[in-house]
Amino acid sequence: MDITHILEGLNDAQREAVTAPVNSTLVLAGAGSGKTRVLVHRIAWLIQVEKISPWGIIAVTFTNKAANEMKNRIEALLGEPIRGMWVGTFHGLAHRFLRAHHNDANLPKAFQILDSDDQHRLIKRLTREMNLDESKWQPRQTQWFINKQKDGGLRADKIDHEGDPYKRQMISLYKEYEGICRRSGAVDFAELILLTYEIIRDRKDIQEHYQKRFESILVDEFQDTNNIQYSWLRVLCGASNNLFVVGDDDQSIYGWRGARVENIQEFQKHYDTTKIIRLEQNYRSTNNILCGANSVIANNASRLGKNLWTEDGDGEPIRVYGAYNEIDEARFVINRISSELENGSSRSEIAILYRTSAQSRLFEEALIQQEIPYRVYGGLKFFERAEVKDALAYLRLTNNHNDDSSFERSVNRPTRGVGAKTIEQIRLTAKESNCSLWQAGKKLLSSRTFTQRAANALNIFYSIIEEAEIEIKDLELPQQVDEVITRSQLREHFIKSKDGKGQDRLENLEELVNATRQFTYLDDQGVTSDLDAFLAHAALESGDQQADYSEDSIQLMTLHSAKGLEFNTVFICGMEEGLFPHSMSADDPVRLEEERRLCYVGMTRAMKLLFISHSESRRLHGSDTYPFPSRFLREIPTNLIEEIRPKPKTSKPYVSPSGTLRDAQEITGYQLGQRVSHPKFGEGIVLNAEGQGASARIQINFETVGSKWLVVAYAKLSTL
């Protein structure tokens, strides 16, 4: 058998990963090391050499874009379609499973998926129904609590309130929320995975079927998995040890949203026969950039370890600019961008990265002044736009009358006289009768509870939905969507809009219809109709798609948004203590390591040129601050750095009796970020300094006891 097409072009480590035995394997794939290539060629190897049917393979990604890219590349490599193979996100695959097992999940065949906005709306309604003060029991906080519990694999009845009244109330809200979802046949994103996991865990027949079916389980971006996702993978794998996971613990930056870097760190403990393969050859960045990134991330203690390298040359040094203030910083960045553009660079090859979104304002203003087109990456997605969500609500309600979230969104939009009092009556009846809002409204109409005006308005709404349901039965999907939008009168509503955005909203409605013309789905997805499939697609895709601007533009984004991207030229701005690393992380060793990983991610986005800037002064939260340069900056070897202007004379001001400014080293003899050792507290990092003479004090974050203030004269510190 000729397997040249599978192995050619792979380096030694990539080839080792692709051809590894079908056993537990952990591929530590550094930034720019070709992990997608490895996954694609690994699947081709499994099919052609190991003779595993595509039907017996499941590949999990974190975005639908990545899933589609992987599938297309596999088919191109093999020269044939891969029918039967499960390729998708955790949520997409869980949705596919629940469609096939809706009876086992006690769900209607046409169950609906609640996106984040729908979930928030439902929780807000529930809070009102339970007569809770929204200022105290904020729906967003409740939403976060519920999703966190689900991500941890916990149902409401499994949580111990520990005597905490706040937690007890949150658990009560969680219970009521679960009841509403069950009644309306709806599942949120977290529920998709939790429910799938529970069925496979508890139903041994289903468990055995899927464990036997899937001979190989492959996972991309494994470092970003949360608790319930990893639990799902483990129960799906069973005792077969057929997990092939690819990830990078150095790029785990989403701990704030539930990702557990511990999953990748503990993988070997769970699967003791695990083979670890390191992909360290980088095909993206110059050697100077890689050496700088390696030096920074080496300061993290809890990592599996790898060292990126490249066959390319050293390239340009990492350039560091010490600005006088944030205005000077923005001016420098934009002037440098102008120079790069004059030298032939395209705008899309240049990115400005920052720790917090608030930092973008000055860069935006400067770009506007210079008339340089730009794009703030990660803006509002198509399916999240209000007018699109309005239309989808009508479509979902037409498809499933018991969808409470869609009922609430559409019943009085456009305004038709269904007031807050009427809606509140419907909510109360739904709760008392344990039924959906649609059924409750019908019940109240039959009992002539409403005023004539309210009843007429509600009857008009019911007629719109019921007539649309009949009218669209024999139509193609684009005609179905267009017909429902027409009957909803949303177009007329936006034409009358006085906010200047009516035309844009109309165009978005038309684009929704266009989206259905381009929409296709596999027959084996378990959906009941084209409309059913499209509505699921809209919910699942809403978080992946970025606005597509045809104009070449400078890319502005947070460091978190930059993951997975690459640019010829990268500016990392605001590299200062308190900003990056963030003040909320500086005293927490675990969070500080994640901040350092974020810095590593930012640095490795750069292919050719990397600029890092920091300011002597910065206005934050309404006050002028005088921050130290970030400790991450000082972790880069000086031989890799070119100072565009000398370092600021002050990293944090201290006014002496003579009125002169002095820096931290002059005050205490120690540099910020310097590692020191104490006879009692052990090793730590210098965070801050203040005072003078015999009373000079130093703040140190110790690895064992946390942050301590010590008098320098008596501290008995030694440098490391």
Side-chain angles (χ1 to χ4, degrees):
M1 180 194 314
D2 185 5
I3 55 173
T4 304
H5 63 294
I6 298 178
L7 301 181
E8 73 179 343
L10 302 177
N11 63 39
D12 291 346
Q14 290 173 334
R15 194 158 51 250
E16 183 184 7
V18 167
T19 62
V22 183
N23 201 346
S24 54
T25 305
L26 170 59
V27 180
L28 288 176
S33 63
K35 67 177 179 65
T36 303
R37 183 178 179 86
V38 165
L39 281 165
V40 168
H41 285 246
R42 171 65 174 177
I43 293 170
W45 176 270
L46 293 172
I47 294 172
Q48 291 202 337
V49 179
E50 299 291 348
K51 303 301 181 183
I52 298 177
S53 166
W55 193 80
I57 298 172
I58 180 171
V60 189
T61 66
F62 266 81
T63 67
N64 290 302
K65 181 181 177 182
N68 292 331
E69 181 186 354
M70 184 181 295
K71 183 181 177 182
N72 292 335
R73 288 175 63 173
I74 295 167
E75 290 181 342
L77 185 60
L78 295 177
E80 58 184 2
I82 48 171
R83 295 187 180 92
M85 191 172 87
W86 283 29
V87 185
T89 65
F90 279 101
H91 295 106
L93 294 173
H95 168 254
R96 182 172 182 170
F97 174 89
L98 291 176
R99 288 292 184 190
H101 296 277
H102 63 91
N103 287 329
D104 302 303
N106 293 316
L107 290 172
K109 194 170 184 177
F111 69 84
Q112 299 298 316
I113 302 172
L114 297 177
D115 65 15
S116 180
D117 191 53
D118 293 330
Q119 185 186 32
H120 177 257
R121 190 186 306 275
L122 194 156
I123 292 170
K124 193 170 183 177
R125 163 196 151 195
L126 178 60
T127 305
R128 290 195 297 264
E129 289 179 351
M130 295 176 67
N131 296 315
L132 297 173
D133 184 355
E134 284 190 33
S135 63
K136 183 178 180 181
W137 305 99
Q138 297 178 12
R140 289 291 181 197
Q141 190 69 18
T142 305
Q143 184 178 17
W144 174 86
F145 175 84
I146 292 171
N147 291 338
K148 184 180 181 183
Q149 305 312 312
K150 288 188 177 187
D151 287 345
L154 294 174
R155 294 292 182 188
D157 59 358
K158 300 297 183 182
I159 306 171
D160 183 5
H161 57 70
E162 301 173 325
D164 184 345
Y166 178 83
K167 195 172 182 180
R168 185 187 289 113
Q169 186 61 73
M170 280 295 188
I171 294 169
S172 178
L173 282 160
Y174 184 8
K175 286 180 180 177
E176 291 295 322
Y177 171 80
E178 284 191 304
I180 294 173
C181 288
R182 281 194 296 269
R183 290 195 300 271
S184 61
V187 295
D188 55 47
F189 282 145
E191 182 71 13
L192 284 170
I193 301 173
L194 177 56
L195 190 53
T196 297
Y197 163 71
E198 290 173 335
I199 293 171
I200 298 175
R201 179 196 64 190
D202 299 336
R203 286 285 302 273
K204 298 303 178 185
D205 56 334
I206 295 175
Q207 182 185 117
E208 289 173 5
H209 168 76
Y210 284 101
Q211 287 179 352
K212 184 178 180 180
R213 170 177 176 170
F214 294 125
E215 298 179 60
S216 182
I217 304 170
L218 303 98
V219 188
D220 192 13
E221 304 287 4
F222 183 64
Q223 78 281 349
D224 293 334
T225 53
N226 61 27
N227 184 70
I228 193 64
Q229 289 166 344
Y230 189 29
S231 297
W232 178 69
L233 290 170
R234 292 188 69 189
V235 75
L236 194 62
C237 174
S240 60
N241 286 351
N242 60 353
L243 268 175
F244 184 96
V245 302
V246 180
D248 184 2
D249 55 333
D250 291 335
Q251 296 190 74
S252 180
I253 60 174
Y254 299 124
W256 50 276
R257 68 184 190 193
R260 296 182 74 255
V261 68
E262 294 84 358
N263 290 345
I264 195 169
Q265 294 170 345
E266 297 172 359
F267 188 78
Q268 272 185 295
K269 297 178 183 177
H270 298 146
Y271 301 95
D272 53 13
T273 61
T274 296
K275 181 180 182 64
I276 295 183
I277 301 169
R278 289 173 169 83
L279 304 184
E280 297 176 306
Q281 184 174 358
N282 178 281
Y283 294 94
R284 175 188 298 157
S285 305
T286 64
N287 190 57
N288 281 339
I289 293 172
L290 294 179
C291 288
N294 287 335
S295 297
V296 171
I297 201 63
N299 289 274
N300 274 2
S302 56
R303 57 190 295 262
L304 297 174
K306 64 183 177 307
N307 199 58
L308 297 182
W309 60 274
T310 180
E311 290 182 343
D312 295 337
D314 289 341
E316 298 291 321
I318 299 170
R319 293 183 169 94
V320 176
Y321 182 73
Y324 296 107
N325 53 36
E326 67 270 32
I327 297 172
D328 181 40
E329 179 185 47
R331 186 185 300 116
F332 161 76
V333 170
I334 303 318
N335 287 343
R336 198 64 197 227
I337 287 174
S338 297
S339 297
E340 292 298 317
L341 296 177
E342 289 173 3
N343 291 331
S345 296
S346 68
R347 290 187 285 267
S348 60
E349 295 174 340
I350 302 172
I352 304 173
L353 312 183
Y354 34 79
R355 178 62 180 84
T356 67
S357 58
Q359 290 173 256
S360 76
R361 182 182 65 85
L362 285 172
F363 297 109
E364 291 188 61
E365 288 182 2
L367 287 163
I368 291 170
Q369 289 172 3
Q370 295 295 319
E371 298 183 343
I372 300 174
Y374 71 92
R375 175 190 174 197
V376 179
Y377 189 87
L380 199 61
K381 290 95 174 169
F382 178 77
F383 288 112
E384 294 176 350
R385 296 170 190 170
E387 58 275 16
V388 175
K389 290 177 73 69
D390 290 339
L392 289 172
Y394 274 95
L395 288 162
R396 289 165 59 180
L397 196 62
T398 303
N399 198 48
N400 175 15
H401 292 173
N402 296 322
D403 186 336
D404 285 356
S405 295
S406 296
F407 183 98
E408 282 214 70
R409 186 175 188 104
S410 57
V411 68
N412 199 44
R413 187 166 177 87
T415 304
R416 56 175 58 87
V418 182
K421 186 178 178 180
T422 301
I423 296 172
E424 192 60 37
Q425 285 181 284
I426 295 173
R427 292 189 189 114
L428 183 62
T429 301
K431 185 180 181 182
E432 292 174 346
S433 303
N434 195 29
C435 64
S436 68
L437 296 179
W438 176 278
Q439 294 166 336
K442 285 283 191 180
K443 185 176 181 178
L444 290 168
L445 285 171
S446 300
S447 63
R448 300 181 182 275
T449 302
F450 299 124
T451 64
Q452 189 62 45
R453 181 182 176 185
N456 289 341
L458 197 58
N459 274 317
I460 289 172
F461 174 70
Y462 277 107
S463 296
I464 290 171
I465 302 300
E466 290 169 343
E467 290 172 9
E469 184 182 12
I470 296 169
E471 190 67 29
I472 68 174
K473 278 186 177 179
D474 298 320
L475 299 177
E476 297 293 328
L477 180 60
Q479 285 72 45
Q480 288 182 330
V481 174
D482 186 72
E483 180 68 22
V484 171
I485 291 174
T486 299
R487 290 180 175 273
S488 72
Q489 296 186 317
L490 286 171
R491 288 192 180 97
E492 290 80 357
H493 171 66
F494 293 127
I495 287 173
K496 298 175 184 176
S497 175
K498 303 296 184 183
D499 62 1
K501 299 179 180 179
Q503 187 59 41
D504 290 341
R505 293 183 173 126
L506 286 173
E507 290 174 359
N508 283 330
L509 290 179
E510 296 309 315
E511 187 58 31
L512 180 64
V513 178
N514 290 336
T516 64
R517 296 190 177 98
Q518 301 163 0
F519 174 69
T520 57
Y521 71 99
L522 299 175
D523 293 333
D524 61 353
Q525 294 288 313
V527 293
T528 58
S529 67
D530 290 355
L531 181 58
D532 190 26
F534 181 75
L535 292 173
H537 163 79
L540 292 167
E541 288 281 323
S542 62
D544 284 343
Q545 301 299 320
Q546 296 291 337
D548 184 20
Y549 298 112
S550 58
E551 188 175 12
D552 185 29
S553 56
I554 304 297
Q555 306 295 298
L556 276 66
M557 69 194 72
T558 65
L559 284 148
H560 284 98
S561 298
K563 188 170 178 292
L565 305 176
E566 61 183 30
F567 306 92
N568 278 344
T569 303
V570 168
F571 295 84
I572 302 178
C573 305
M575 190 77 90
E576 303 143 22
E577 291 292 316
L579 189 57
F580 190 32
H582 197 277
S583 58
M584 297 177 62
S585 303
D587 293 336
D588 184 336
V590 174
R591 296 176 70 175
L592 180 59
E593 287 207 350
E594 181 158 316
E595 289 284 296
R596 186 174 280 109
R597 292 195 292 268
L598 187 59
C599 180
Y600 174 83
V601 167
M603 294 177 71
T604 54
R605 299 311 94 193
M607 300 168 65
K608 304 297 182 185
L609 296 175
L610 175 60
F611 294 86
I612 298 175
S613 61
H614 62 96
S615 295
E616 294 183 36
S617 67
R618 184 179 299 274
R619 193 162 183 83
L620 288 175
H621 314 300
S623 302
D624 289 326
T625 63
Y626 302 90
F628 287 113
S630 171
R631 69 194 71 190
F632 304 150
L633 184 56
R634 291 188 298 277
E635 290 168 358
I636 303 172
T638 56
N639 65 297
L640 303 176
I641 290 175
E642 176 186 303
E643 293 278 355
I644 296 178
R645 62 177 281 258
K647 290 181 179 178
K649 293 181 178 180
T650 60
S651 49
K652 181 172 181 175
Y654 168 76
V655 182
S656 70
S658 64
T660 59
L661 293 175
R662 300 160 56 202
D663 64 20
Q665 187 169 12
E666 188 179 349
I667 296 169
T668 66
Y670 299 96
Q671 293 181 346
L672 189 71
Q674 187 173 7
R675 292 190 67 83
V676 296
S677 178
H678 186 271
K680 180 180 179 180
F681 302 133
E683 295 184 8
I685 296 173
V686 177
L687 298 180
N688 207 345
E690 62 183 32
Q692 60 178 308
S695 64
R697 302 172 299 280
I698 188 169
Q699 185 186 21
I700 302 171
N701 185 35
F702 292 102
E703 294 176 358
T704 54
V705 296
S707 180
K708 298 281 187 184
W709 279 98
L710 305 175
V711 178
V712 176
Y714 305 105
K716 297 181 180 180
L717 297 171
S718 57
T719 57
L720 298 175

